[in-house]
PDB file of all heavy atoms in Angstrom:
ATOM      1  N   SER A 917       6.159  18.360 -16.288  1.00 96.00           N
ATOM      2  CA  SER A 917       6.145  17.162 -17.142  1.00 96.00           C
ATOM      3  C   SER A 917       7.590  16.712 -17.263  1.00 96.00           C
ATOM      4  O   SER A 917       8.447  17.443 -17.765  1.00 96.00           O
ATOM      5  CB  SER A 917       5.564  17.497 -18.521  1.00 96.00           C
ATOM      6  OG  SER A 917       5.638  16.390 -19.377  1.00 96.00           O
ATOM      7  N   GLY A 983      22.319  12.930 -24.534  1.00 89.00           N
ATOM      8  CA  GLY A 983      21.602  13.962 -25.292  1.00 89.00           C
ATOM      9  C   GLY A 983      21.113  13.505 -26.638  1.00 89.00           C
ATOM     10  O   GLY A 983      21.649  12.586 -27.259  1.00 89.00           O
ATOM     11  N   ILE A 998      29.704  16.225  -9.771  1.00 98.00           N
ATOM     12  CA  ILE A 998      28.659  16.808  -8.908  1.00 98.00           C
ATOM     13  C   ILE A 998      29.039  16.603  -7.440  1.00 98.00           C
ATOM     14  O   ILE A 998      28.170  16.437  -6.582  1.00 98.00           O
ATOM     15  CB  ILE A 998      27.265  16.229  -9.210  1.00 98.00           C
ATOM     16  CG1 ILE A 998      27.258  14.699  -9.031  1.00 98.00           C
ATOM     17  CG2 ILE A 998      26.813  16.629 -10.595  1.00 98.00           C
ATOM     18  CD1 ILE A 998      25.864  14.108  -8.976  1.00 98.00           C
ATOM     19  N   SER A1062      38.080  13.833 -19.681  1.00 97.00           N
ATOM     20  CA  SER A1062      38.251  14.960 -20.604  1.00 97.00           C
ATOM     21  C   SER A1062      38.654  14.481 -21.993  1.00 97.00           C
ATOM     22  O   SER A1062      38.573  15.262 -22.960  1.00 97.00           O
ATOM     23  CB  SER A1062      39.285  15.953 -20.078  1.00 97.00           C
ATOM     24  OG  SER A1062      40.569  15.399 -20.103  1.00 97.00           O
TER      25      SER A1062
END
Side-chain angles (χ1 to χ4, degrees):
S917 176
I998 58 166
S1062 69

